[in-house]
Amino acid sequence: MDNTEIADRLETFAMMLELVEANPYTARAYRRAAETIRGAAVPVADLVRRNRVRELRGVGPGIEARLRELIETGQIAELSELERELSPDLVGLGRYLGLSARRSIQLARSLGVRTAGELREAAAAGRLRDVPGIGAKTEAQLLEALAREDGPGPRQGLLLNRARELVGAVAAAVGGEPAGDVRRWRDSCEWLAVVCAATEPEPVLDRFAALPQVVALVERQERRAVGVTVEGVPIELVVAQPNAYGTELVRATGSPAYVAAFEPLPHGRDERGVYAALNIPWCPPELREQPFRGQPPPLVEVDDIRGDLHCHTTWSDGRASVEEMGRAARERGYDYMAICDHSPAVGAVRGLTPDDLRRQADEIGAANDVLAPFRILRGIECDILPDGRLDLPDDVLAELDWVQASVHGGQRMPAPEMTRRVEEALRNPSVRCLSHPTGRYINRRPENALDLERIYQVALEEGVALEVNGLPLRLDLSGGHVRDALRAGVEIVCSTDAHSVVGLENMTLAVATARRGWATPANVVNTRPLEAILGPRAGRKAGT
Ligand SMILES: [Zn+2]
Ligand SMILES: [Zn+2]
């Protein structure tokens, strides 16, 4: 059994665990192990036989036991059992149609069908109306959704990190590259697409249809197929003629408005060729939301970032120590990092008192001795209390190198009060950055009622930066807000809000979101050297 086969089985197992709504951490662990195994340079079966498989990242005792079972018996018994009970294609198609997993399974049982194809047949034969609980209205909706070519319309997208993982795995498996919303780094991805080149499309389409991530095909044409994932999100594969690969990649990357503005697209083997034929400069995918023919600005890149200014440790709700976080940041090539643990008012987790902060300073000092010239800054993520005061005394805040101010509790305030609350916090001379300014959770919680234009003005006057928080659920500010903030003259910080060493990887998401807002290195505070970070804040008010 080779690494790809092993990885495919683990990936399927992860998907099945998700289907039965098992512990999401378990499913994620199997998915991560599958990824490691897919990229491993040595045969994993050998590692298992030689009792060395735990040396692979993400393989613990539980996964090792499953791998041993798979190598020795050719199957994972629990997975085979799940596969007998559940039909992922049916659940995927059901979700695509707007049904919950449970509802799809009930529907299938009542109809006596096992696959997505059989469900379609039963629906076409008018059998849906015999199912208890399916009224004429639901039947009509389902039939309409099944019949519509472009799918059932707006649905909840996937978070960017999950979408990138999924589309990346599918692209790697068919030898193509990610396109669609993922390539534009949208915060919630609804249109997943992969483009690859082949003279003969059939074998590639077959491979795509057989992938564990693609639970059912809803469409198949000569050079294109649409599958659905178990989450019910459609994923499109385009198999381009090699001499038109660039054309199909441009077409599958831009927003509909962007692509429409350039149709009919000229043929090109790669994107550069297509843009040259259009006689316009190549455009970074992040900017392909609205038609744009000009010279794009030099957008900020991950390599421009010199430090991460919002990170947690075991002092509050992080999982790594001060030194572990610092060392990991230094390994990423940064010059500095700010430790910003929580203040007491955050409530749900432990927050740091003034006394804790002074004790933490000793630990930071010791870590700096070891890691020099890399520098860990003393920071705090200080709650903004409902009345606009900060959660720690001014003299304590003034001792610190970097103060993030954050709204956590009491987010449902009306706009005038919320705006006053945040404004007052930004007026505190120790505050350097406003964390996750809108407080949204993507697809879960709307933005706080906040007059952002007013906040941009105050931030500008006071010389406070606004954060682009890289947590996949936040991405806050969003790309659109970044653009507005930059137009207002405000500076931004790209941060990860990392709660672990792995969390530092979310810098790619923060930077991509800033790029969607047209940010250049000059707009981003943490592209600057340490001295600039430690200097006094430079507000318009102070300067005039
Ligand atoms: Zn926070
Ligand atoms: Zn935080």
Side-chain angles (χ1 to χ4, degrees):
M1 198 173 271
D2 69 20
N3 288 357
T4 305
E5 288 167 316
I6 296 171
D8 282 355
R9 288 314 280 159
L10 286 197
E11 174 83 38
T12 305
F13 193 37
M15 186 190 75
M16 286 295 193
L17 290 173
E18 272 170 2
L19 269 190
V20 295
E21 277 135 25
N23 180 348
Y25 294 102
T26 316
R28 228 174 290 154
Y30 276 97
R31 184 161 279 132
R32 230 176 270 143
E35 222 174 289
T36 306
I37 289 169
R38 213 181 286 284
V42 290
V44 169
D46 286 355
L47 290 182
V48 172
R49 285 188 206 104
R50 287 189 284 133
N51 291 321
R52 291 187 47 197
V53 74
R54 302 249 317 254
E55 290 167 23
L56 290 178
R57 193 164 61 97
V59 177
I63 296 177
E64 182 188 20
R66 302 294 192 188
L67 285 171
R68 186 168 302 285
E69 188 188 351
L70 180 61
I71 302 303
E72 285 171 2
T73 70
Q75 61 164 347
I76 298 172
E78 190 183 344
L79 172 57
S80 308
E81 198 172 305
L82 286 171
E83 282 179 324
R84 269 193 300 278
E85 271 176 17
L86 289 172
S87 173
D89 64 331
L90 211 134
V91 175
L93 185 69
R95 285 187 174 148
Y96 177 70
L97 297 173
L99 302 173
S100 69
R102 194 155 301 185
R103 195 86 196 275
S104 297
I105 292 166
Q106 278 171 358
L107 189 62
R109 277 205 195 114
S110 315
L111 289 168
V113 301
R114 279 203 40 82
T115 65
E118 287 168 12
L119 173 64
R120 282 166 183 276
E121 276 170 31
R127 293 182 51 213
L128 285 177
R129 75 193 61 146
D130 302 336
V131 177
I134 298 255
K137 202 171 141 211
T138 312
E139 184 194 8
Q141 279 168 354
L142 285 175
L143 286 175
E144 196 205 353
L146 278 167
R148 212 177 317 159
E149 239 185 42
D150 54 357
R155 68 188 66 77
Q156 187 162 308
L158 295 181
L159 292 183
L160 180 56
N161 59 331
R162 169 73 184 121
R164 278 174 51 75
E165 189 181 279
L166 176 71
V167 174
V170 170
V174 299
E177 74 182 291
D181 290 354
V182 161
R183 189 156 177 246
R184 299 203 313 285
W185 298 81
R186 280 176 60 102
D187 44 24
S188 171
C189 297
E190 285 148 27
W191 174 39
L192 308 183
V194 168
V195 182
C196 63
T199 320
E200 273 297 317
E202 287 294 313
V204 189
L205 292 171
D206 289 344
R207 170 83 182 124
F208 175 71
L211 289 176
Q213 296 91 345
V214 175
V215 295
L217 279 197
V218 291
E219 228 183 299
R220 179 163 174 163
Q221 297 161 8
E222 204 192 329
R223 291 196 160 268
R224 184 175 165 273
V226 180
V228 280
T229 69
V230 73
E231 293 98 339
V233 178
I235 176 162
E236 181 180 10
L237 174 70
V238 179
V239 187
Q241 287 283 9
N243 65 0
Y245 178 72
T247 312
E248 293 301 343
L249 189 56
V250 172
R251 196 171 275 143
T253 298
S255 71
Y258 182 88
V259 175
F262 297 108
E263 291 284 11
L265 283 168
H267 270 209
R269 204 164 253 287
D270 55 27
E271 277 200 341
R272 303 268 168 189
V274 177
Y275 279 90
L278 286 169
N279 206 18
I280 57 174
W282 180 81
C283 183
E286 294 92 332
L287 303 188
R288 299 189 204 168
E289 292 295 338
Q290 295 303 322
F292 174 69
R293 294 166 189 274
Q295 180 68 47
L299 299 180
V300 61
E301 291 176 20
V302 171
D303 284 349
D304 297 320
I305 299 295
R306 306 189 57 173
D308 199 326
L309 291 170
H310 183 171
C311 301
H312 295 265
T313 71
T314 45
W315 281 84
S316 64
D317 54 346
R319 272 180 278 157
S321 70
V322 167
E323 191 184 323
E324 284 165 338
M325 290 300 280
R327 194 175 292 281
R330 190 178 70 166
E331 274 165 21
R332 299 181 69 83
Y334 294 153
D335 300 329
Y336 51 85
M337 142 183 274
I339 297 296
C340 296
D341 279 308
H342 288 287
S343 65
V346 74
V349 303
R350 199 171 94 84
L352 275 66
T353 62
D355 193 49
D356 290 330
L357 270 168
R358 290 186 182 119
R359 285 191 296 124
Q360 191 186 45
D362 295 337
E363 194 174 322
I364 289 175
N368 277 332
D369 288 342
V370 180
L371 299 175
F374 180 86
R375 173 80 179 269
I376 301 173
L377 304 181
R378 289 186 64 202
I380 187 82
E381 177 174 14
C382 188
D383 263 51
I384 304 174
L385 303 175
D387 63 5
R389 280 180 307 123
L390 291 168
D391 189 26
L392 287 163
D394 285 349
D395 61 324
V396 173
L397 295 176
E399 272 179 32
L400 301 175
D401 301 312
W402 187 261
V403 174
Q404 295 271 149
S406 304
V407 169
H408 288 128
Q411 306 206 11
R412 295 234 173 114
M413 276 179 182
E417 279 140 65
M418 181 61 91
T419 306
R420 259 199 308 277
R421 173 183 179 185
V422 173
E423 177 174 342
E424 184 159 338
L426 299 190
R427 301 276 185 212
N428 183 302
S430 295
V431 170
R432 303 301 296 263
C433 183
L434 177 64
S435 322
H436 39 72
T438 76
R440 71 163 176 172
Y441 280 169
I442 296 166
N443 294 336
R444 284 200 215 162
R445 186 169 82 195
E447 296 183 350
N448 296 340
L450 183 66
D451 178 353
L452 279 174
E453 288 302 327
R454 174 73 194 151
I455 296 305
Y456 299 153
Q457 286 317 311
V458 177
L460 187 65
E461 280 172 27
E462 298 290 342
V464 173
L466 299 188
E467 180 178 71
V468 180
N469 185 298
L471 288 175
L473 189 59
R474 289 194 183 270
L475 299 180
D476 182 8
L477 298 173
S478 66
H481 288 324
V482 168
R483 196 159 193 206
D484 293 340
L486 296 182
R487 279 179 173 147
V490 179
E491 298 187 324
I492 58 170
V493 174
C494 292
S495 291
T496 61
D497 203 349
H499 286 67
S500 66
V501 165
V502 176
L504 295 171
E505 289 172 14
N506 286 329
M507 187 58 82
T508 49
L509 302 187
V511 168
T513 303
R515 289 166 63 87
R516 284 176 59 79
W518 297 62
T520 67
N523 302 132
V524 183
V525 172
N526 51 326
T527 60
R528 297 174 197 158
L530 179 63
E531 307 79 71
I533 305 296
L534 292 176
R537 66 185 204 186
R540 290 280 160 85
K541 207 176 73 180
T544 51

